[in-house]
Amino acid sequence: MAAARLGLPIIDADGMGRAFPEIQMVTFSVYGCSATPLVVTDEHLNSVVVEADTPARAEGIVRSIAIQMGLSVMLSAYPLTGRQVKDYGVHGTLSLALGIGTAIREGRTTGNPVEALIQYLQTTPYYNHAKVLFDGKVTDLRRETTKGFAIGHCLMSAMDGSGRQMEIMFQNEHLIARENGVIKAIVPDLICMVDRETAEPIPVEHLRYGQRLKIIGTSAAPIMRTPEALAVFGPRKFGLDEDFIPIENL
């Protein structure tokens, strides 16, 4: 948005190709790039410049600042060279975001936006292992804000009368999906909740009891699945006692 307003070019890449809750959970951090100097600001233009020796320490400092600013801040971090972006970035993600939005919009005109979204994802270089993991409604939801994170779990019940259930654990973003205790997708692969009729994405903070949703799972970018990357944002970094298994193998 800032680039559009200022008429500046913008790089079609980022450091994750998805969302993660902590500053160090990006590919740039994995491969040794500094997160600082960074700037954090709120809607009243209060701002803080942070210098830190590691991205993880920067996360702790910024998390404390964000709590003081009411948990709604904007952040600019990871000053990088062009070479670093080429070597360590997840490329083409802005274009992919536009493609996802286009697929949903066009799918709504034909009456099946979720299927249109899945078909588009399957043509992409990163999210090609995409499928609907579950179709159901929210029958239990536990969510609390702890240290600046929305943490909890959501229980879904199938709408076909089969008695199947899916539990999804989250920390701002969805971490693991289990159907009747069996893992169906796990971080860093993506677990996405969408409205079953419109494919509107439903973030953690908008989950409500009784919502009827479809759960979509997709593969993450290959650079997100390396041993080095999993050491920074794999399942065990979120306190899960599980190893990463690619969604295409589940």
Side-chain angles (χ1 to χ4, degrees):
M1 185 180 294
R5 287 181 174 179
L6 296 173
L8 297 174
I10 188 168
I11 296 171
D12 191 5
D14 65 29
M16 61 182 85
R18 50 158 300 151
F20 273 135
E22 299 183 24
I23 289 171
Q24 76 276 14
M25 293 179 172
V26 293
T27 51
F28 306 124
S29 169
V30 170
Y31 297 102
C33 302
S34 176
T36 60
L38 65 77
V39 178
V40 57
T41 187
D42 66 11
E43 60 187 358
H44 304 295
L45 301 184
N46 299 307
S47 61
V48 179
V49 178
V50 175
E51 291 278 5
D53 56 349
T54 67
R57 196 177 306 277
E59 159 66 27
I61 295 170
V62 171
R63 185 68 50 179
S64 298
I65 294 169
I67 291 171
Q68 292 298 317
M69 288 182 168
L71 294 178
S72 179
V73 300
M74 292 157 282
L75 181 71
S76 179
Y78 286 97
L80 302 167
T81 67
R83 182 76 268 162
Q84 288 172 319
V85 175
K86 289 178 181 177
D87 289 346
Y88 308 131
V90 182
H91 301 155
T93 48
L94 291 182
S95 296
L96 287 168
L98 287 170
I100 288 169
T102 299
I104 292 173
R105 184 192 67 214
E106 293 178 351
R108 288 173 180 172
T109 65
T110 60
N112 198 338
V114 175
E115 181 59 27
L117 173 59
I118 293 292
Q119 289 179 1
Y120 171 73
L121 292 172
Q122 290 173 344
T123 69
T124 65
Y126 307 141
Y127 312 127
N128 52 314
H129 298 289
K131 56 187 175 182
V132 174
L133 301 176
F134 202 78
D135 182 4
K137 64 179 179 179
V138 178
T139 52
D140 188 35
L141 176 63
R142 298 185 182 182
R143 177 181 53 214
E144 61 181 20
T145 300
T146 303
K147 297 181 180 180
F149 298 107
I151 296 174
H153 80 273
C154 175
L155 186 66
M156 306 280 298
S157 296
M159 298 177 61
D160 59 7
S162 64
R164 294 180 300 114
Q165 292 186 316
M166 174 165 280
E167 181 185 34
I168 298 174
M169 297 179 64
F170 53 79
Q171 179 184 327
N172 285 19
E173 283 74 47
H174 307 303
L175 304 177
I176 186 169
R178 296 185 180 96
E179 182 179 332
N180 295 344
V182 178
I183 296 174
K184 294 298 182 180
I186 190 168
V187 65
D189 283 348
L190 289 82
I191 302 164
C192 311
M193 292 187 171
V194 301
D195 183 278
R196 69 189 307 271
E197 302 296 336
T198 67
E200 184 73 19
I202 308 297
V204 163
E205 60 269 21
H206 291 167
L207 282 172
R208 299 290 183 270
Y209 181 84
Q211 283 175 319
R212 300 186 176 196
L213 309 173
K214 288 188 177 181
I215 313 304
I216 296 173
T218 82
S219 47
I223 196 173
M224 304 283 291
R225 292 168 148 197
T226 65
E228 296 87 352
L230 294 176
V232 176
F233 42 68
R236 296 187 184 275
K237 300 305 291 186
F238 292 95
L240 298 175
D241 190 22
E242 304 285 354
D243 292 323
F244 172 67
I245 304 173
I247 192 170
E248 60 269 28
N249 296 338
L250 292 171

